[in-house]
Amino acid sequence: MQLTLEIPDQYIQGQNQSQTAQQIKLYAALLMFQSGQLSRGAACEFAGVDIYDFFLACKQHHISAINTSVESIEADVLRFQQRHH
């Protein structure tokens, strides 16, 4: 699915549009993860980053990446195993 956002020019002048789009995806994933709408693995997939970059972004934005349920961790492990086997 593709989603189109209208962003006033003054907020992206001089910035690479591709990098800005990636940054917005990461911010959305962080917020959805923090609010419990996405698991850690789903947030990584949503943002298009690996778990290490996601953890770094969580640290930079003071979001706890550890306070998750056992079910969420198990789902992340299963998703990782499916991708790498």
Side-chain angles (χ1 to χ4, degrees):
M1 176 178 147
Q2 184 173 359
L3 179 67
T4 303
L5 297 174
E6 291 221 13
I7 301 171
D9 289 340
Q10 69 262 27
Y11 297 108
I12 58 171
Q13 286 182 348
Q15 296 183 26
N16 179 301
Q17 287 184 1
S18 175
Q19 289 175 337
T20 300
Q22 179 61 35
Q23 190 175 29
I24 290 169
K25 282 176 56 175
L26 177 60
Y27 290 159
L30 288 167
L31 181 61
M32 292 170 76
F33 170 73
Q34 186 178 36
S35 69
Q37 293 177 304
L38 292 177
S39 70
R40 192 173 37 235
C44 291
E45 186 177 341
F46 184 99
V49 298
D50 63 31
I51 192 74
Y52 305 107
D53 288 337
F54 187 74
F55 280 155
L56 179 60
C58 284
K59 182 178 177 184
Q60 290 171 337
H61 296 284
H62 308 287
I63 297 171
S64 175
I66 303 303
N67 294 333
T68 57
S69 68
V70 170
E71 293 82 12
S72 177
I73 293 170
E74 288 173 345
D76 288 346
V77 168
L78 286 173
R79 194 173 4 265
F80 177 81
Q81 289 174 339
Q82 289 172 349
R83 286 187 179 181
H84 298 286
H85 286 272

